[in-house]
Structures are given as C-alpha cells and as structure tokens.
Amino acid sequence: MQHGAECTPAFDMVIFGGAGDLAMRKLLPSLYQAHAAGLLHDDGRILALGLNEFTQDEYLAYVEQHSRPNVKESYTDAQWQSFKARLDYLHVDATQVDDYRALAEKLGPPAGRSVVFYLAMVPHLFARICENLAAVGLNHDQARVVLEKPLGTDLKSSNAINDAVARFFKEHQLYRIDHYLGKESVQNLMAIRFGNALFEPLWCREWIHDVQITISEELGVEGRGDFYNVTGAFRDMMQNHLLQLLCIVAMEPPASMDADAVRDEKLKVLKALRRFTPEDVEEKTVRGQYTAGAIGDRAVQGFLSEPGIPADSTTETYVALKAEIDNWRWVDVPFFLRTGKRMKDRLAEIVINFRDVPNTLFPSPLGRHTANRLVIRLQPDESVRLHFLAKEAGDTMRMQPAYLNLDFHEMFKVRRADAYERLLLDVIRGRLALFMRRDEAIEAWRWVEPIMETWKTSTTPPAQYAAGSWGPAEAEALLSRDKIVWHVES
Ligand code: BG6
C-alpha cells in the first residue's frame, strides 16, 4: 500500500457512461492505479452502466481495448486481471426509470458501503438520472453523486441543473468535480502558503506586483468539435479551472482544512472579484482563435478547418484577461489569467511576481519586476522555483539571476496519485474539500456572465494566433500596459 495512505471503505462505484470516453480515458485507469497501489477496499465493486447491449465478457474486452492503453503506471498483468474482477456491466438507459430497478437490485442494500454514482454523461440528463435514482430508493444517506463539468452553459442553466439535482440529493452528497483541484501541486500550493511562515507575510499587495496563471495546451479540439464550438475556452477552462486556481492563490487562511472552511474562503474570493463592465471587457480581455501552424515539427490545421467547426465560428480557443480582487489583501494587484489550445507548450503554472526593492544599490542586468518571483509549476513537471538576484562571483558587485528549485519528483520519491485518482478516492471516502460547492459555482458564473454577454454582441472577431505560438499579440499588449510581460520559462 502507498506510504501514509489509507484504504477506502467498502464501496460501489456506479459509472453512468461506463463505456464512454471519460470512463475509458480517465476513470477506469485511475481506479486501476488506486487498486494497484492497494488503496481500494477488497470489497469495492465498479459497475459500469451504458446503452450498449454488452455481455460481461464483451464489456471486459471493450475495456481491454479502450482503457488498458490509458494505464500509465504500475501496470502488471496480474494486477490488471484482479482489477477486472471488480468490474461489472449493466445495460441501463439513463432516461428509463424501469432500468433503475435492475440497478437497485444489483446493488442491494448499502449496508455501510459508500455508494457513488458518477455521472459521466451530458448534463441535461443529470436531473432525470437523480430523479430516477430517487424513484427506486437509491438516494439514501450513503449515496454520493459526482457531477462532471460543464454544469450548464450559463448561470440560468447551471441553476436549473443544481435545483433539479437538489430535489433528490442533499448538498453534502454532491461532488462537483474540477479535476484541477485534484492535482498534486494545487494541494502543495495550499501547503506552501499555510504550512510555512516564510510566504504568508509577503502574500499581499504590499509585496506582490502581479500574479499570472497560465494553462496552455498543445492539443486542439481533438474530435470534440461539436462540443467545443458551443463551449469555447472561456467556459471550458476559465470559468472553472483557472478561477479555482486563482481562488487558492488568493484565499485567506481557512480556520481548518475542513471542506466548508476551505470552500467558505474560496467563495469570498469569488465574491470579491471585480465585475467587468462592457468597457472593461474591451480593455481587459483578449479572445483568440488559432490558425494553421505547427506543434513541434507537426503541421496542424486551423480551428476553422477542424471537423465539426463551422467556417464562420467565432468561438474562442484562447482567452487572456486581467482580473482584479477588491479586498484589502489584493486591491491593485492584477491577476492575469490565460489559457489556450494549440499553444507552444503544454504548461500549467502560477507565477507570483514580487515588487522591486525600493532602492537599487546594485547594477542589475534585469528590468523591473523580475528579480523575485515564485513559480509554481503544476505540469508537465511539479516544481516550485524561487527566483532572486545574487552577486556574480568575482571583484564586481554585478548581480545575476539565480533560483532555488524544488522538484517534487526528485524530493519525494513516492508514488503520487493523478488528479482523477485522488478525487475518486476522496469521493469514496466522503471528503468534499476538493469539490466545488454550489455557491462557488454560482459565483463563478456570475463573474463570467457579463464577459460572455459582451462578447456575444461584440463585432470584434477573436484575434488570430498561429498554432504553436504563445497566443495573439493582443495578449502581450494586455500586460504591457502594466509594464510587464508574460512569464515564459522552459
Ligand atoms: C478539461 C477540458 O476540463 O481539461 C479539456 O474540457 C482540457 O478541453 C482539459 O483539454 C485539460 O486538462 P489537463 O489536466 O490535461 O491540463
């Protein structure tokens, strides 16, 4: 078993969309990894539900073909075979209440087990599924429901889904997943901030000049054209992942690590985010769309030529914006957020740029605002790097950039769970801290909505950027008004 980790209680993991893309790419491989690490209770069953008329053997063959290649670590034949023994398949049409009777019969009484319903389905079915579960008595106290994003397309539709689900399940039974919260470095960010005396006194407007949060991807829309064209980068990434990261950087120390204590603090940040007026949207946001280009040495097509994307689509594949938080800690500290598809590198990082020293005693080779910075890298590697200036060796007092680097893989040579594995284990164990509470989701929609509304009526098309670049030139201009540049480090 993994060092320091405890095994789950007995459980049933019921996956709606059990033969779907998410189940094959993420859920089953993550559950396998937890199994191989000895973290799943021996009495833990995984029941996949779907519309296909698979026999048990056909389903296992399907899993073999579509999911096993996605197992990235700890693979052994023996472990894989014993993992497959946990799997079962049931033909269920999620819209038909009669099918749920067979499900209830298969599950039997919960008898102290943790029963998880993972809704890896389109969100407009969530309400119906919850209603049907309740109709056959499966909304008992031990039931937990995982809601995959996107939870609606705006505040109204998100509220409608949440209201409908809340008729059958209590808030503490609902796990709104944002897989970025399950990433090791996101948790480390909290540990670094709140477990050390070093950073917290500097973590405020007196010492921080600006914060930059980047999530860039090399991937394009990857066969999800229909979905992506109506969703766009803003809803797909900004409304959830980037805002969640911003909350963790900006939140006040919670009274404890209890789920609600943490979520209360994140909520306060979302409430303090300054709302955008239509003029702000023009001035402080940049939408982009990729054109043909190259990722490494591979030529790739532009967004408008991707399957499922209309030739006149104005959907953004890139967003950059300047967010401001109106509270005592952060007023006047810009938070620059950006995300995009088909960018130069796959990267997720948080950069804290500290203010300059008040008086420059030594000649420095660097410009302003560059001497002290903390770079927290979430992927591809997990590291924390603290940049500062030091004297160059020799007679002169010339300064050179230097840094302290903490690479978590080097430092802690223990197996680390990937985001989905950690979050699935948390659901089985009933830990809510890394899941979004309803009021957080609502507040996030309230903040993004005026931006979406302004874009809807805007006559300015998204700025173009070549696939394989760092995004449109307009995003550089967004920062240059504050006399800074985006941090890029290889
Ligand atoms: C998902 C988005 O939430 O996150 C995808 O829907 C995106 O479009 C993915 O590719 C990125 O996640 P990660 O963990 O690979 O950075």
Side-chain angles (χ1 to χ4, degrees), residues 349-413:
E349 69 175 22
I350 297 163
V351 178
I352 314 288
N353 283 320
F354 291 92
R355 293 192 186 280
D356 280 341
V357 287
N359 184 11
T360 308
L361 296 176
F362 311 111
S364 156
L366 302 175
R368 290 173 63 76
H369 312 307
T370 42
N372 295 143
R373 93 172 14 136
L374 185 69
V375 180
I376 299 148
R377 184 65 76 84
L378 279 63
Q379 60 195 31
D381 50 319
E382 290 168 1
S383 61
V384 175
R385 192 176 276 202
L386 181 60
H387 294 251
F388 55 95
L389 289 179
K391 182 189 153 318
E392 191 182 282
D395 285 347
T396 64
M397 277 305 282
R398 235 192 355 244
M399 306 296 269
Q400 281 298 335
Y403 59 79
L404 293 171
N405 196 31
L406 168 60
D407 179 320
F408 289 106
H409 284 268
E410 283 292 312
M411 175 65 86
F412 305 110
K413 295 191 190 310

Side-chain angles (χ1 to χ4, degrees), residues 185-196 199 248 257:
S185 323
V186 174
Q187 307 208 308
N188 237 323
L189 176 59
M190 286 204 248
I192 288 169
R193 275 196 63 193
F194 304 132
N196 295 289
F199 298 108
I248 292 177
M257 287 311 280

Side-chain angles (χ1 to χ4, degrees), residues 25-26 148-150 178-180 183 215-217 219-222 224 227-228 231 235-237 240-241 341 346-348 379 419-420:
R25 272 191 313 110
K26 298 281 188 196
E148 257 295 335
K149 82 176 216 350
D178 181 317
H179 77 280
Y180 263 73
K183 293 193 189 255
I215 305 180
S216 59
E217 297 184 85
L219 293 179
V221 294
E222 311 301 310
R224 296 196 303 162
F227 159 79
Y228 199 83
T231 306
R235 285 191 184 92
D236 191 35
M237 301 292 288
N240 35 68
H241 305 325
K341 298 259 182 218
R346 174 172 184 255
L347 183 75
Q379 60 195 31
Y420 267 98

